[in-house]
Amino acid sequence: MADSSFDIVSKVERQEVDNALNQTGKEISQRYDFKGVGASISWSGDKILMEANSEDRVKAVLDVFQSKLIKRGISLKALDAGEPQLSGKEYKIFASIEEGISQENAKKVAKIIRDEGPKGVKAQVQGDELRVSSKSRDDLQAVISLLKGKDFDFALQFVNYR
């Protein structure tokens, strides 16, 4: 019988991020506490730009955006938001969406699977994802539950389970 396998990835659906961004824009245009503060959120290339006329307001825009991401099922570990910066009379925050598992993070996950996972489970790095394979599907389920119990500083999804 062939080995069963699944891939560990760190991907974000850009359309969901776009929907969260549009919902945030709509909410800050309607909320009373954002009236007259010049609050806005938009794409700036592949980064997200949040602007307001005070540091507290721009942080509030970020907070609203984070809550919209959570409602759309996107992990906040994928959001990399910078600190508020003063630019003229406006405060700005640039945020980016992190995708892919770096080589060092993939090696950390593979080491955890080797050390704490069931015997006979193999993990190999393939670009920005990690392929986990085993003869037993139960072992693969055990690996998934093991990794879900760990707290990584990056988002993980399990795909292509076969």
Side-chain angles (χ1 to χ4, degrees):
M1 186 176 136
D3 283 3
S4 299
S5 68
F6 67 89
D7 295 335
I8 301 173
V9 298
S10 182
K11 290 193 178 4
V12 175
E13 188 80 30
R14 182 164 169 106
Q15 185 61 50
E16 291 295 329
V17 175
D18 202 35
N19 291 342
L21 187 131
N22 291 335
Q23 287 177 339
T24 303
K26 189 176 282 186
E27 182 169 325
I28 63 177
S29 70
Q30 294 172 347
R31 270 181 40 181
Y32 178 76
D33 57 335
F34 285 113
K35 292 278 188 247
V37 295
S40 68
I41 183 168
S42 62
W43 285 104
S44 174
D46 60 347
K47 291 189 179 285
I48 298 162
L49 171 64
M50 292 163 262
E51 297 177 299
N53 65 3
S54 74
E55 188 173 348
D56 291 339
R57 288 293 97 203
V58 78
K59 284 182 178 177
V61 171
L62 176 62
D63 191 45
V64 170
F65 182 56
Q66 288 175 335
S67 70
K68 298 299 181 190
L69 286 174
I70 290 170
K71 285 182 182 173
R72 302 206 70 82
I74 297 172
S75 172
L76 291 184
K77 293 177 182 177
L79 180 70
D80 181 26
E83 289 298 311
Q85 301 166 343
L86 184 61
S87 173
K89 293 183 178 179
E90 294 273 303
Y91 279 89
K92 297 180 179 188
I93 293 179
F94 285 98
S96 60
I97 303 294
E98 301 290 321
E99 287 194 305
I101 302 174
S102 69
Q103 288 290 328
E104 63 186 46
N105 287 338
K107 287 178 184 174
K108 279 187 217 171
V109 173
K111 181 171 175 26
I112 289 172
I113 292 171
R114 262 196 322 277
D115 295 347
E116 301 176 31
K119 299 290 179 239
V121 175
K122 296 185 282 295
Q124 59 195 92
V125 179
Q126 296 182 332
D128 62 350
E129 56 186 45
L130 192 69
R131 165 89 27 106
V132 180
S133 58
S134 171
K135 294 212 179 300
S136 165
R137 285 180 167 238
D138 292 339
D139 288 350
L140 293 180
Q141 292 287 345
V143 168
I144 290 175
S145 60
L146 167 75
L147 293 177
K148 282 185 177 176
K150 299 285 182 191
D151 186 30
F152 295 105
D153 57 347
F154 52 95
L156 290 180
Q157 292 90 30
F158 306 100
V159 297
N160 296 339
Y161 185 79
R162 56 182 172 269

